Amino acid sequence: MNREQLVILEKFHAACVRFWKEFMEEYDEPEPYLKALEDVKNCKTNPYKAHDAETLDPRTREYFIKRCEMDLGLSDDFKDMEWE
């Protein structure tokens, strides 16, 4: 797992949540978090680099996505998976 990329995904997810909360004007609903999770799922490269962005490590992305899904109550796969 790439810890640097994990931080990038955490920052990106938080920024997406802020955006969706403002755009949707829903601050306590789960919808902004679900939309932000979709943004992360669609992100294949570093979202903070416009050119020559490195591809995100698939295992790191999976870890982050599964953790978010668990936090949202969508899945508990995260607990059963083995992580480095």
Side-chain angles (χ1 to χ4, degrees), residues 18-51:
R18 283 191 303 276
F19 168 80
W20 288 113
K21 280 183 176 184
E22 281 189 38
F23 181 77
M24 301 174 77
E25 297 181 358
E26 293 187 32
Y27 298 98
D28 296 326
E29 299 296 320
E31 195 65 26
Y33 294 91
L34 296 171
K35 292 278 196 187
L37 179 58
E38 284 303 312
D39 291 338
V40 171
K41 286 180 178 181
N42 291 322
C43 184
K44 306 291 187 227
T45 60
N46 183 340
Y48 296 106
K49 289 189 176 178
H51 300 287

Side-chain angles (χ1 to χ4, degrees), residues 1-13 16 36-49 52-65:
M1 183 169 9
N2 185 315
R3 301 228 184 262
E4 182 179 309
Q5 289 184 3
L6 186 59
V7 171
I8 290 168
L9 288 170
E10 288 170 351
K11 285 177 55 178
F12 179 63
H13 181 262
C16 291
L37 179 58
E38 284 303 312
D39 291 338
V40 171
K41 286 180 178 181
N42 291 322
C43 184
K44 306 291 187 227
T45 60
N46 183 340
Y48 296 106
K49 289 189 176 178
D52 298 324
E54 72 268 12
T55 301
L56 295 172
D57 174 54
R59 189 79 170 143
T60 302
R61 278 185 64 248
E62 179 186 23
Y63 172 88
F64 185 80
I65 290 167

